[in-house]
Amino acid sequence: MPPPADIVKVAIEWPGAFPKLMEIDQKKPLSAIIKEVCEGWSLGNHENFALQIADATNFYITEKNRNDIKNGSILRLTTSPYQTAVQLHERIQSSSMDAKLESLKDLANASRDITFAQEFINLDGISLLTQMVESGTERYQKLQKIMKPCFGDLLSFTLTAFVELMDHGIVSWDTFSVAFIKKIAGYVNKSAMDTAVLQRSLAILESMVLNSQDLYHKVAQEITIGQLIPHLQGTDQDIQTYTIAVINALFLKAPEEKRQFDEHIVDILNCPLTEMAHILAQKQLRSIILSNVIRSPTPINDEMAHQLYVLQVLTFNLLEDRMMTKMDPQDQAQRDIIFELRRIAFDVECEPNNSGSIEKRKSMYTRDYKKLGFINHVNPAVDFTQIPPGMLALDNMLYFAKHHQDSYIRIVLENSSREDKHECPFGRSSIELTKMLCEIMKVGELPSENCHDFHPMFFTHDRSFEEFFCICIQLLNKTWKEMRATSEDFNKVMQVVREQIMRALTLKPNSLDQFKSRLQNLSYTEILKIRQSERMNQEDFQSRPILELREKIQPEIMELIKQQRLNRLCEGTCFRKISSRRRQDKFWYCRLSPNHKVLHYGDLEESPQGEVPHDSLQDKLPVADIKAVITGKDCPHMKEKGALKQNKEVLELAFSVLYESDEYLNFIAPDKHEYCVWTDGLNALLGKEMTSDYTKSDMDTLLSMEMKLRLLDLENIQIPEAPPPIPKEPSNYDFVYDCN
């Protein structure tokens, strides 16, 4: 007879004693269970004790999480969170350096548990730590030279405990003083600082900026680009990652209003784009990141790739203001830019403005503006009233005309000599191309939470977007000629150009020159070949016999896909737990048992290398208990996070498993592929249809392949729409062989 569902068999440890095997009744109060355990070891004052999970986490068992205890779990009897918090609160104030160091180390480990953290915070522990940072550690400054390792560890454990406590979201970041911020900033600004202390300090500054607008201003007054750059010039990729994260946080949280110009980041981020570009060029931030990070011999890890992607997105977002600014057709200064485009193209700078009548000059201007490819020949300024791309298109055109003057003149004059219907309109093309490039690079959108898609080539030039445009506008003109396009083919040409750009970007070129050479290999002829090949691979025969064959094969293919999904679930996946400090995220692993009956899962200290065995995953969820699979915004962990724009990507990767009475197992997939695999696999386990985009893609690919294999012998044979007629019945059956 199976034991009752509320009874859990566990082992309980106590230092200096043999572990005890006992049964825990989950219906009994936790205090009663602890009392029973204490009495077994003749321990009094049971209210001063608690139970912990006996693993690396040492998390306390509470009434909220006690249901997570599974059969075979190993627990540890220990002092209660309150008693531990009181003891550590006293010990970290010890006059003994060794005792203080040991207690701070214990505090850093214990602070990961929210139950302990709540008790320590209730004792005003955060204030004690900040006071130690502000003034307490000054007592040991004189000893720093002879006890440098000890001092570094002391400060490192203090800051680690602070970061862990703040990560629980119990205390608001707005409560910290300027003195504390100055102290943390001081550790960042010092040239020779312990690596661990520098990491924690950068993490604290990043969290301050991201969680409080008021602290953003205070931090920005203490940190300058010049003080951060030395940390990028080292070889420690973790320090480099934290440093770029601080820069990204300041970019992301910069207020929109313009501020007075000086060397601080806060002012850099709020000055006009031209000044911003000038200062960043002066500080050589881009070139330092390129040489010391991107081109470093050390491989770029996922977190660094994410931070570089965020920096790339935020840098491009500086273009949003120009992209969303309409041109004022009456603004003479803006109209002078268009006149400059005309002057460079047709070399009329020596022509006196008063030569000829007004009508003659207007007629000449109209003719030239038509040659330049503007839609409105009389007043080209009207062409730039569309947003996006607004004034950004005009900026790109002027940059191309000034910095690539020969190419600009060649394109304009070359199209001027063609027939009207075959000319590639430079003005209209530039406007539409700028709009397309903004869409491709997602200018104006916030960075995704899980994306690592940065392009090294955009870190090779101070005006990378403008150079990107210059390469692409020449590509557009080349493709136009190859297609022998007319004005009616404009949209078709733009589609081909988009495909050329996207395919070249997929190859992740390391420089703009490499990007340009990749485009040279993606001519219109090559695009046609690629399209033809893809069309042949995805050809969908529409004749009735073929459709009937497809319907017959489809269930077999779907069963094959289902088995693949279940096999992937059996291999398992490492999932990330979202936290406010991304680089210190926790991980957990989930995998399906080989018999497809149980989901095994458990927490991990770090992302694993390879599969995690079943026996190391302590938690289990029977598949028979699963009631439903919920995705997107309906997931409980997504409702808690709210509907912020930056959570959009996370929302698309979230799913939950509902089991028992309103209990959930919440997932956030590492990428779209894993999201599709797991939602498909879970639905397959529940006997439901697999509806992901990944399944549709697999079905199309496998079905097309199977169809071609089965029809291989019928090559060049016409398949009739209708089956051939049945022949008439013979007059006799004498030809039938008599088996008797």
Side-chain angles (χ1 to χ4, degrees):
M1 182 176 176
D6 296 322
I7 301 299
V8 181
K9 294 182 178 181
V10 299
I12 300 181
E13 298 175 341
W14 172 251
F18 288 107
K20 284 189 175 183
L21 298 177
M22 67 177 296
E23 295 182 350
I24 291 179
D25 186 351
Q26 293 285 38
K27 291 182 179 179
K28 292 176 63 175
L30 189 59
S31 57
I33 296 172
I34 294 172
K35 181 179 180 182
E36 181 183 344
V37 174
C38 291
E39 289 174 350
W41 273 305
S42 302
L43 300 173
N45 299 322
H46 66 274
E47 61 275 3
N48 293 334
F49 292 90
L51 291 173
Q52 279 181 330
I53 298 290
D55 59 12
T57 62
N58 291 332
F59 285 168
Y60 283 97
I61 303 297
T62 65
E63 291 291 352
K64 290 184 178 180
N65 64 18
R66 62 181 296 176
N67 289 327
D68 294 337
I69 303 175
K70 306 298 180 183
N71 279 319
S73 297
I74 300 176
L75 308 183
R76 181 186 298 119
L77 184 66
T78 185
T79 54
S80 68
Y82 173 74
Q83 290 294 327
T84 305
V86 170
Q87 292 170 11
L88 287 176
H89 193 274
E90 293 175 356
R91 286 168 55 201
I92 62 176
Q93 300 179 70
S94 170
S95 57
S96 167
M97 176 68 78
D98 291 337
K100 182 186 285 288
L101 184 62
E102 191 64 30
S103 58
L104 282 170
K105 182 179 179 180
D106 293 341
L107 177 63
N109 290 327
S111 296
R112 293 179 296 171
D113 187 343
I114 190 171
T115 309
F116 168 83
Q118 184 68 68
E119 297 292 349
F120 190 78
I121 290 170
N122 290 342
L123 295 172
D124 212 15
I126 294 286
S127 297
L128 177 59
L129 292 178
T130 54
Q131 288 169 13
M132 290 173 63
V133 172
E134 290 175 24
S135 58
T137 53
E138 291 178 1
R139 296 162 50 195
Y140 306 103
Q141 295 290 337
K142 295 179 181 179
L143 302 175
Q144 186 175 355
K145 290 185 178 180
I146 59 174
M147 302 182 66
K148 187 173 181 180
C150 184
F151 176 79
D153 290 341
L154 183 77
L155 189 53
S156 171
F157 290 135
T158 304
L159 296 179
T160 301
F162 174 83
V163 169
E164 293 289 354
L165 292 168
M166 291 302 298
D167 190 40
H168 297 298
I170 300 171
V171 178
S172 170
W173 283 92
D174 289 308
T175 58
F176 297 106
S177 65
V178 174
F180 178 72
I181 298 170
K182 286 181 178 291
K183 203 73 179 178
I184 298 298
Y187 299 141
V188 173
N189 294 338
K190 285 183 180 178
S191 57
M193 177 53 68
D194 182 83
T195 301
V197 173
L198 182 56
Q199 281 187 0
R200 306 301 186 277
S201 300
L202 288 167
I204 291 170
L205 292 180
E206 181 196 5
S207 295
M208 284 180 173
V209 171
L210 292 176
N211 289 283
S212 170
Q213 191 66 34
D214 184 50
L215 288 182
Y216 158 76
H217 292 287
K218 295 175 182 177
V219 170
Q221 291 172 2
E222 301 296 328
I223 301 294
T224 66
I225 287 279
Q227 291 160 338
L228 289 172
I229 279 179
H231 301 314
L232 294 173
Q233 294 174 316
T235 57
D236 190 319
Q237 190 170 118
D238 288 336
I239 294 296
Q240 292 173 328
T241 304
Y242 278 84
T243 303
I244 296 176
V246 173
I247 295 173
N248 287 338
L250 289 163
F251 262 93
L252 191 60
K253 292 298 180 179
E256 295 181 1
E257 69 273 8
K258 306 301 180 189
R259 293 176 61 88
Q260 185 178 355
F261 173 87
D262 66 31
E263 70 167 348
H264 289 88
I265 287 181
V266 64
D267 302 307
I268 289 175
L269 298 176
N270 292 287
C271 67
L273 176 60
T274 52
E275 294 177 356
M276 171 72 180
H278 175 66
I279 294 169
L280 290 182
Q282 278 187 335
K283 297 295 182 183
Q284 297 179 330
L285 176 63
R286 175 201 57 75
S287 60
I288 288 171
I289 291 175
L290 179 66
S291 58
N292 291 278
V293 178
I294 297 175
R295 292 180 177 171
S296 167
T298 306
I300 293 176
N301 58 35
D302 285 347
E303 183 52 40
M304 175 59 85
H306 173 74
Q307 294 300 339
L308 291 172
Y309 153 78
V310 172
L311 182 59
Q312 172 187 291
V313 171
L314 296 176
T315 303
F316 281 145
N317 282 356
L318 293 170
L319 303 169
E320 184 181 12
D321 183 53
R322 294 293 284 175
M323 181 182 76
M324 301 306 292
T325 299
K326 293 182 179 181
M327 186 172 185
D328 182 2
Q330 307 304 320
D331 189 323
Q332 187 58 45
Q334 295 179 353
R335 294 176 68 178
D336 286 345
I337 298 176
I338 298 176
F339 186 81
E340 180 70 2
L341 290 172
R342 173 182 172 272
R343 182 196 65 75
I344 296 173
F346 303 111
D347 195 24
V348 293
E349 60 182 347
C350 298
E351 181 182 304
N353 291 331
N354 56 358
S355 63
S357 64
I358 296 176
E359 288 76 13
K360 184 178 179 181
R361 288 204 306 273
K362 283 184 177 180
S363 174
M364 182 177 60
Y365 290 170
T366 301
R367 180 200 64 200
D368 291 345
Y369 291 148
K370 182 179 180 181
K371 290 180 180 179
L372 279 169
F374 291 111
I375 298 173
N376 192 316
H377 305 151
V378 178
N379 187 4
V382 177
D383 290 7
F384 299 95
T385 56
Q386 173 194 357
I387 54 172
M391 289 294 292
L392 184 59
L394 187 58
D395 294 341
N396 285 339
M397 294 169 69
L398 184 62
Y399 181 90
F400 180 49
K402 285 189 172 182
H403 293 82
H404 300 271
Q405 189 167 323
D406 292 342
S407 298
Y408 167 70
I409 294 173
R410 178 181 56 78
I411 287 177
V412 173
L413 297 183
E414 187 179 86
N415 285 290
S416 300
S417 61
R418 293 180 185 168
E419 298 178 36
D420 287 349
K421 67 175 183 177
H422 283 288
E423 66 178 359
C424 178
F426 174 74
R428 182 187 175 191
S429 299
S430 298
I431 293 169
E432 291 301 320
L433 178 63
T434 301
K435 182 179 178 181
M436 179 198 294
L437 298 182
C438 289
E439 291 172 357
I440 291 173
M441 303 316 302
K442 299 181 179 179
V443 175
E445 294 187 21
L446 287 172
S448 164
E449 177 75 18
N450 297 298
C451 188
H452 310 93
D453 188 27
F454 82 97
H455 294 276
M457 71 177 193
F458 291 124
F459 291 85
T460 62
H461 201 282
D462 291 325
R463 304 289 293 275
S464 59
F465 190 83
E466 290 88 342
E467 289 291 328
F468 185 39
F469 168 84
C470 294
I471 294 171
C472 293
I473 193 65
Q474 295 177 72
L475 167 72
L476 193 154
N477 187 66
K478 174 175 171 284
T479 303
W480 184 284
K481 290 189 292 184
E482 291 172 348
M483 293 178 66
R484 299 179 182 178
T486 63
S487 55
E488 289 80 9
D489 300 321
F490 185 86
N491 291 333
K492 292 180 182 178
V493 175
M494 295 303 294
Q495 290 173 4
V496 173
V497 170
R498 176 186 279 269
E499 186 173 347
Q500 291 170 312
I501 294 170
M502 294 300 290
R503 289 185 183 276
L505 287 176
T506 304
L507 300 172
K508 292 291 180 67
N510 291 319
S511 66
L512 290 164
D513 287 338
Q514 196 176 93
F515 172 69
K516 190 173 183 179
S517 65
R518 295 276 167 84
L519 288 176
Q520 293 293 331
N521 298 328
L522 286 170
S523 63
Y524 176 59
T525 305
E526 185 63 26
I527 291 293
L528 286 179
K529 289 180 182 178
I530 294 172
R531 286 181 174 180
Q532 179 67 19
S533 175
E534 291 177 349
R535 190 160 46 245
M536 290 177 66
N537 291 334
Q538 299 176 1
E539 189 172 7
D540 187 11
F541 302 104
Q542 296 299 320
S543 64
R544 192 164 64 86
I546 300 299
L547 293 176
E548 289 177 359
L549 180 59
R550 284 174 62 91
E551 290 177 7
K552 184 178 179 180
I553 297 174
Q554 199 159 340
E556 301 174 16
I557 302 297
M558 186 59 74
E559 182 62 27
L560 182 64
I561 294 172
K562 175 183 174 182
Q563 291 304 318
Q564 188 273 339
R565 299 292 190 270
L566 294 178
N567 290 340
R568 273 291 293 108
L569 264 61
C570 290
E571 293 174 11
T573 301
C574 179
F575 296 94
R576 183 168 57 88
K577 292 183 177 180
I578 294 295
S579 70
S580 59
R581 291 179 295 106
R582 195 177 188 279
R583 286 169 310 287
Q584 298 188 22
D585 287 344
K586 307 298 188 297
F587 298 93
W588 67 290
Y589 200 88
C590 186
R591 63 182 300 182
L592 180 66
S593 62
N595 62 3
H596 301 170
K597 296 294 180 69
V598 179
L599 285 176
H600 297 264
Y601 62 96
D603 292 337
L604 302 175
E605 284 300 307
E606 57 185 15
S607 183
Q609 302 296 324
E611 295 182 19
V612 177
H614 293 91
D615 52 9
S616 65
L617 302 174
Q618 297 182 359
D619 299 320
K620 299 178 182 179
L621 172 60
V623 173
D625 292 347
I626 299 177
K627 295 182 178 179
V629 178
I630 303 167
T631 60
K633 63 182 179 181
D634 295 327
C635 298
H637 57 316
M638 289 297 102
K639 292 178 181 177
E640 295 171 4
K641 289 184 71 61
L644 296 176
K645 184 177 180 182
Q646 55 264 43
N647 290 327
K648 180 181 176 183
E649 294 294 331
V650 178
L651 197 66
E652 294 175 352
L653 300 175
F655 60 98
S656 300
V657 172
L658 171 63
Y659 64 97
E660 293 182 0
S661 56
D662 296 331
E663 293 289 335
Y664 293 90
L665 186 61
N666 297 320
F667 298 77
I668 295 178
D671 51 49
K672 191 67 176 178
H673 177 271
E674 289 295 327
Y675 170 84
C676 293
V677 165
W678 274 85
T679 52
D680 283 343
L682 292 170
N683 281 321
L685 287 173
L686 299 179
K688 296 182 179 179
E689 187 179 354
M690 299 184 294
T691 57
S692 74
D693 295 338
Y694 189 41
T695 294
K696 294 174 184 176
S697 174
D698 282 354
M699 173 61 74
D700 291 341
T701 302
L702 294 173
L703 196 55
S704 174
M705 187 184 302
E706 183 66 20
M707 290 288 292
K708 288 176 181 178
L709 286 172
R710 296 205 181 193
L711 298 173
L712 200 59
D713 294 337
L714 298 178
E715 190 173 359
N716 298 324
I717 296 177
Q718 185 68 34
I719 300 175
E721 282 293 325
I726 300 174
K728 292 181 180 181
E729 188 175 349
S731 58
N732 61 69
Y733 293 88
D734 295 342
F735 59 86
V736 176
Y737 178 72
D738 188 358
C739 295
N740 296 324

